[in-house]
Amino acid sequence: MSVVVASRRAAPFLVAAAGFFLLTPPHAQAQWWKRAPVDFEECADAAEKAASKAEKTAALADCNAKFAGRRKAGGGYSYYDFLQDRTFDIAGPNPTPEEQKKIDEAYTAYLAKQRRSNEAAQATARQQREQQEQQVQQLQQIALRTDVERVPVPVERPKVQQAAGPRPKGAPCTKGSFSCEWPRLSESLNDLKKLFNPTPSKPAKKG
């Protein structure tokens, strides 16, 4: 008897619940029982079923905003940081605070490495530029010296030897020199002239 009374008391509540379920729109009923996606892949699969291309694009963008990680083939998830162009392993579909801290620390180290690399590249470029300038200067100096060597050096005109005059008396005479031999040669020439051109004798005066 008590069971029947209890059933009768519960009947109005069951009728109300049934009426609420029947009056609720179908899409609201689907959202009531449907499970939310746990990662990007599930969210993307649901987005693929969108009615229009615009809804699909919007749904995929929403999935990308909700989930940073991507499933790995062997289990777990990976997070790609495009700033570092590097992938990090994470436990869930999104990095935990501890995992995000490690990613940020890695990014700080990445920036420091990039800065050192840029400074080294600038130093190398500066050194190469200085070497090129030195080589240009050396080539200019070599070209200048070559041009100077090609210019003919003016040669001093030989001095015309003055005709030897009579040697001053008492002046030393160098054997074989023209000044010493000339008097002797002059006397010999005079003798030869006298020999070939005898002086005609003067006619005797008539008395």
Side-chain angles (χ1 to χ4, degrees), residues 31-44:
Q31 292 180 0
W32 177 71
W33 64 264
K34 187 177 180 180
R35 179 175 62 87
V38 297
D39 55 16
F40 176 81
E41 284 69 23
E42 279 191 7
C43 187

Side-chain angles (χ1 to χ4, degrees), residues 23 36 47 66-67 147 156:
L23 294 175
K66 287 181 179 179
F67 303 104
D147 293 340
E156 184 179 1

Side-chain angles (χ1 to χ4, degrees), residues 8-157:
R8 289 177 64 182
R9 289 179 179 177
F13 296 101
L14 293 174
V15 172
F20 176 79
F21 181 79
L22 293 174
L23 294 175
T24 304
H27 67 277
Q29 296 177 17
Q31 292 180 0
W32 177 71
W33 64 264
K34 187 177 180 180
R35 179 175 62 87
V38 297
D39 55 16
F40 176 81
E41 284 69 23
E42 279 191 7
C43 187
D45 291 341
E48 289 291 336
K49 300 175 184 179
S52 65
K53 185 177 180 181
E55 292 179 355
K56 177 181 177 180
T57 302
L60 286 174
D62 186 58
C63 295
N64 193 50
K66 287 181 179 179
F67 303 104
R70 300 293 183 268
R71 286 183 193 173
K72 294 172 59 178
Y77 295 86
S78 63
Y79 170 78
Y80 174 72
D81 187 358
F82 68 93
L83 294 176
Q84 306 180 55
D85 190 20
R86 178 182 173 185
T87 301
F88 296 87
D89 291 336
I90 55 178
N94 285 306
T96 63
E98 186 64 26
E99 291 170 340
Q100 188 63 50
K101 181 180 178 181
K102 292 181 179 179
I103 294 172
D104 294 341
E105 291 175 350
Y107 181 62
T108 302
Y110 170 80
L111 291 178
K113 183 178 179 181
Q114 286 293 104
R115 183 174 61 255
R116 290 193 298 269
S117 178
N118 293 336
E119 291 175 353
Q122 292 176 359
T124 301
R126 183 168 56 253
Q127 183 178 4
Q128 292 177 353
R129 185 169 59 253
E130 291 175 354
Q131 291 177 353
Q132 291 176 356
E133 292 176 355
Q134 291 177 359
Q135 291 176 357
V136 170
Q137 292 177 357
Q138 292 175 358
L139 291 175
Q140 290 176 348
Q141 292 175 358
I142 293 173
L144 183 61
R145 287 198 300 268
T146 304
D147 293 340
V148 171
E149 292 175 356
R150 289 177 180 175
V151 175
V153 179
V155 180
E156 184 179 1
R157 294 178 60 185

